[in-house]
């Protein structure tokens, strides 16, 4: 609940290194994560979410979990670890945690493909 | 913390006079109405008085009232009871915006060979009576159309549907659970053969309802047991619940005009107040043909449940028909049938005022709600993208 009422890392980054946007209004949630990467680690991360309370809380939790972590560590974050970190989610809300992890992974992939392209 | 209850369409507090009467029939007048002795006779008398009170509220005869466990059972008894009495598969007509007690009952009948026509509605959630006329077939057994919608409060042109059904000799059922206590109901004027009501929406207890069955209508029971309720609904009568429903009906009729006026005033104060304070809010349902207690609003770019959580944290109770709560991840079937986009339908919140709602309650909501919506919009990617689209000079997308 705290992550819903006081979400961490809400917003957008100036010139993000990677952007991940998942979901659509049809399925009920839209999440966007933006990352700044330095020395192979997530130096900064911000999110924007359209969705229910659980969607907002999982987004916030993911950003806290991976800030300062290496990209490999961040890629290892799964839907389950996010839900566990929040103390469990009701069954109907599990898809929200899926989206949060997916958005993060998408942002990292975006960063990696941009990095590969600029080499 | 200050608490404001604006979810009367979900349920209402039991009226003190009703509660007092229920207590009497729980503790002192506890006889079984089927018993011969004085204890039984007292309970029987109370049961029949309640039947008269319910009949009076619907413009029916007492013997046309069957007590049930609530609105859902009344809907089931009407639809399945009529289908069973028909004896073979046939055709049923209903609308896409019915309560699940009707929709899922119709779907279950489809599994047994019935064919069901689900009439589409206009953007206000209304059907046109001609749609019913066009859909009636030689094998149509029953038409079931709600009197007023539980989510958006839209009132259907039921009397016109009733005229068509009478002309064509087809049974008409109506779920009037939300309408009772808010609109005057007269089964003769509406031309219905079956009509469902519930106690807990009208300041009566939960677990009690009634089905009006026009004299002469053939209906098979759904359960078997004793010969209670003219063999239509077996089981020892829920006397405390029934006297509670009777009293609640009596009060609802007596106070109908005053309650409707209060509710309409409070509802309008809320809607106008919200529209003055928050941009891009859409009022769902019919602008005039709606229940006096209902305000169903879409707050663009945010999701309904997150607004409810914010309101709940401030002591305000409202509801959403939205996705996550049902576990189905589908937005409200009513709003979708009205043609709303998924994005908009996800952002709907239903406020339903009651007979005791006061201006201070509404003003508290008007103070608390705008910052909740603003906070959620500020973290919504859809809101940010819409802002950018505007700056870039392109029209905002529908999402």
């Amino acid at each position: 609940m705290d992550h819903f009422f006081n979400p961490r890392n809400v917003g957008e980054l100036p010139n993000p290194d990677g952007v991940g946007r998942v979901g659509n209004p049809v399925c009920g949630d839209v999440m966007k994560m933006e990352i700044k990467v330095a020395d192979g680690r997530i130096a900064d991360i911000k999110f924007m979410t359209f969705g229910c309370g659980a969607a907002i809380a999982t987004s916030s939790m993911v950003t806290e979990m991976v800030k300062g972590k290496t990209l490999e560590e961040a890629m290892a974050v799964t839907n389950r670890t996010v839900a566990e970190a929040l103390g469990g989610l009701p069954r109907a809300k599990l898809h929200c945690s899926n989206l949060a992890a997916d958005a993060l992974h998408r942002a990292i992939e975006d960063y990696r493909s941009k990095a590969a392209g600029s080499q | 913390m200050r608490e404001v209850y604006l979810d009367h369409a979900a349920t209402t507090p039991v009226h003190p006079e009703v509660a007092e009467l229920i207590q009497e029939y729980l503790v002192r007048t506890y006889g079984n109405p089927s018993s011969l002795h004085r204890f039984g006779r007292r309970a029987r008398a109370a049961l029949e008085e309640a039947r008269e009170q319910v009949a009076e509220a619907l413009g029916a005869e007492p013997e046309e009232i069957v007590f049930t466990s609530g609105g859902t059972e009344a809907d089931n008894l009407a639809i399945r009871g009529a289908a069973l009495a028909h004896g073979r598969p046939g055709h049923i007509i209903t609308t896409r915006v019915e309560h699940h007690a009707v929709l899922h009952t119709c779907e279950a009948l489809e599994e047994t060979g019935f064919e069901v026509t689900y009439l589409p509605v206009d953007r206000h959630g209304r059907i046109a009576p001609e749609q019913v006329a066009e859909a009636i077939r030689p094998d149509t057994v029953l038409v079931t159309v709600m009197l007023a919608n539980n989510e958006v409060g839209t009132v259907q042109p039921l009397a016109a549907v009733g005229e068509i059904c009478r002309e064509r000799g087809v049974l008409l059922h109506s779920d009037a659970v939300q309408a009772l206590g808010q609109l005057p109901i007269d089964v003769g004027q509406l031309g219905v053969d079956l009509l469902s009501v519930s106690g807990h929406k009208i300041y009566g207890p939960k677990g009690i309802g009634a089905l009006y069955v026009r004299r002469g209508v053939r209906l098979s029971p759904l359960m078997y047991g004793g010969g209670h309720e003219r063999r239509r609904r077996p089981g020892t009568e829920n006397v405390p619940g029934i006297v509670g429903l009777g009293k609640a009906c009596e009060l609802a009729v007596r106070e109908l005009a005053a309650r409707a006026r209060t509710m309409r005033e409070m509802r309008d104060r809320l809607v106008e107040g919200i529209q003055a304070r928050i941009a891009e809010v859409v009022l769902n349902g019919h602008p005039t043909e709606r229940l006096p207690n209902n305000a169903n609003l879409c707050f663009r770019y945010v999701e309904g449940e997150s607004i409810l959580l914010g309101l709940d944290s401030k002591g305000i109770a409202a509801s959403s028909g939205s996705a996550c709560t049902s576990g189905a991840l589908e937005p409200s079937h009513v709003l979708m049938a009205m043609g709303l986009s998924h994005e908009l339908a996800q952002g709907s919140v239903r406020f339903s005022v009651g007979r005791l709602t006061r201006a201070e309650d509404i003003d508290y909501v008007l103070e608390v709600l705008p910052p909740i919506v603003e906070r959620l919009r500020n973290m919504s990617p859809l809101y940010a993208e819409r802002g950018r689209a505007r700056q870039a000079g392109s029209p905002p997308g529908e999402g």
Side-chain angles (χ1 to χ4, degrees):
Chain A
M1 272 313 213
D2 182 44
H3 276 274
F4 170 70
F5 287 112
N6 303 297
R8 281 62 134 182
N9 306 309
V10 176
E12 295 174 302
L13 291 168
N15 308 313
D17 295 324
V19 178
R21 189 185 194 276
V22 296
N24 60 60
V26 176
C27 75
D29 301 283
V30 180
M31 283 183 202
K32 194 173 75 168
M33 297 238 177
E34 297 186 342
I35 54 172
K36 272 285 195 194
V37 180
D39 303 327
R41 287 177 185 274
I42 294 181
D44 204 358
I45 179 165
K46 296 255 188 227
F47 81 89
M48 297 280 269
T49 291
F50 163 86
C52 63
I56 291 168
T58 52
S59 311
S60 167
M61 178 55 86
V62 165
T63 61
E64 283 236 304
M65 287 169 74
V66 303
K67 210 171 191 176
K69 295 277 167 61
T70 66
L71 296 184
E72 287 68 33
E73 287 167 333
M75 284 303 279
V77 167
T78 65
N79 317 325
R80 187 176 300 177
T81 53
V82 180
E84 279 168 6
L86 282 166
L89 283 173
R91 208 171 204 353
K93 299 288 187 186
L94 281 175
H95 84 111
C96 303
S97 59
N98 290 355
L99 278 176
D102 288 351
L104 170 69
H105 297 160
R106 198 72 66 82
I108 294 171
E109 282 159 16
D110 180 49
Y111 161 74
R112 283 178 170 162
S113 70
K114 278 182 190 158
S118 64
Q119 273 168 9
Chain B
M1 191 201 297
R2 183 176 184 133
E3 291 190 345
V4 175
Y5 185 78
L6 295 183
D7 202 10
H8 292 82
T11 195
T12 56
V14 174
H15 194 291
E17 278 186 52
V18 173
E20 203 178 310
L21 197 65
I22 290 171
Q23 170 78 4
E24 152 80 24
Y25 284 88
L26 284 169
V27 178
R28 286 185 35 212
T29 313
Y30 52 79
N32 184 327
S34 298
S35 299
L36 187 70
H37 47 65
R38 64 188 58 224
F39 293 80
R41 290 197 303 273
R42 280 187 213 123
R44 167 66 57 190
L47 183 67
E48 296 314 325
E49 192 194 334
R51 203 184 299 281
E52 283 170 25
Q53 289 167 319
V54 176
E56 173 80 25
L58 305 179
E61 294 299 322
E63 60 269 26
E64 295 175 313
I65 303 300
V66 177
F67 291 113
T68 67
S69 64
T72 292
E73 190 193 329
D75 286 341
N76 271 265
L77 179 57
I79 299 167
R80 289 176 57 211
L84 275 169
H86 184 61
R88 60 183 186 283
H91 177 233
I92 293 174
I93 299 168
T94 187
T95 79
R96 290 195 192 158
V97 295
E98 297 297 309
H99 189 276
H100 284 139
V102 167
L103 282 181
H104 289 167
T105 302
C106 288
E107 285 165 19
L109 283 172
E110 282 184 285
E111 312 243 314
T112 70
F114 273 80
E115 284 181 54
V116 181
T117 299
Y118 300 91
L119 298 175
V121 295
D122 66 16
R123 66 195 177 94
H124 298 308
R126 273 192 130 205
I127 58 160
E130 304 79 62
Q131 290 172 270
V132 174
E134 284 159 21
I136 290 177
R137 315 192 312 207
D139 64 340
T140 302
V141 178
L142 177 76
V143 174
T144 171
V145 173
M146 67 196 334
L147 182 46
N149 185 267
N150 49 307
E151 287 188 36
V152 297
T154 298
V155 180
Q156 298 292 353
L158 192 63
V161 173
E163 216 167 286
I164 292 165
C165 289
R166 274 188 183 176
E167 219 168 79
R168 308 282 289 271
V170 176
L171 281 183
L172 174 61
H173 165 252
S174 184
D175 178 331
V177 166
Q178 288 290 338
L180 183 63
Q182 300 206 56
L183 304 174
I185 295 180
D186 186 310
V187 290
Q189 232 166 44
L190 292 172
V192 294
D193 303 289
L194 301 151
L195 182 127
S196 309
V197 297
S198 168
H200 76 109
K201 310 287 192 192
I202 57 162
Y203 307 91
K206 295 169 182 65
I208 190 72
L211 179 66
Y212 156 76
V213 185
R214 183 185 299 283
R215 196 179 298 145
V217 168
R218 283 174 57 231
L219 210 61
S220 293
L222 303 185
M223 294 189 290
Y224 295 91
H228 311 83
E229 299 297 289
R230 301 176 159 251
R231 301 191 177 279
R232 284 183 160 142
R233 210 284 189 171
T236 298
E237 298 86 347
N238 172 4
V239 178
I242 289 169
V243 296
L245 172 64
K247 187 73 182 174
C249 279
E250 184 201 304
L251 293 168
V253 170
R254 194 196 302 159
E255 297 177 5
L256 182 74
R259 283 186 194 177
R261 191 170 55 240
T262 302
M263 292 191 290
R264 191 169 289 116
E265 271 174 27
M266 292 304 115
R267 191 269 316 275
D268 291 348
R269 187 184 186 93
L270 180 69
V271 171
E272 285 159 19
I274 287 173
Q275 286 179 330
R277 286 166 180 79
I278 305 175
E280 301 199 67
V281 177
V282 181
L283 177 68
N284 299 310
H286 200 281
T288 54
E289 294 299 312
R290 70 186 301 144
L291 293 178
N293 79 338
N294 176 290
N296 186 307
L297 299 155
C298 280
F299 298 85
R300 295 200 70 166
Y301 315 112
V302 292
E303 200 265 355
E305 196 214 62
S306 54
I307 298 175
L308 292 188
L309 284 173
L311 287 171
D312 182 49
S313 77
K314 301 288 183 189
I316 299 166
S319 77
S320 77
S322 105
C324 293
T325 48
S326 66
L329 306 177
E330 275 293 317
S332 145
H333 69 282
V334 175
L335 297 179
M336 295 305 286
M338 286 160 59
L340 268 70
S341 70
H342 273 82
E343 179 217 318
L344 211 49
Q346 304 274 17
S348 91
V349 176
R350 179 187 69 184
F351 297 94
S352 43
V353 301
R355 70 184 185 94
L356 299 175
T357 304
R358 295 292 171 261
E360 305 89 80
D361 300 323
I362 300 300
D363 293 346
Y364 176 61
V365 176
L366 293 177
E367 174 193 320
V368 165
L369 182 61
I372 291 173
V373 174
E374 193 189 348
R375 186 181 85 90
L376 292 167
R377 279 184 176 168
N378 283 337
M379 66 172 87
S380 166
L382 304 178
Y383 191 59
E385 284 155 19
R386 152 225 170 247
R388 267 178 226 126
R390 288 227 168 129
Q391 276 165 18
S394 58
E398 184 55 30

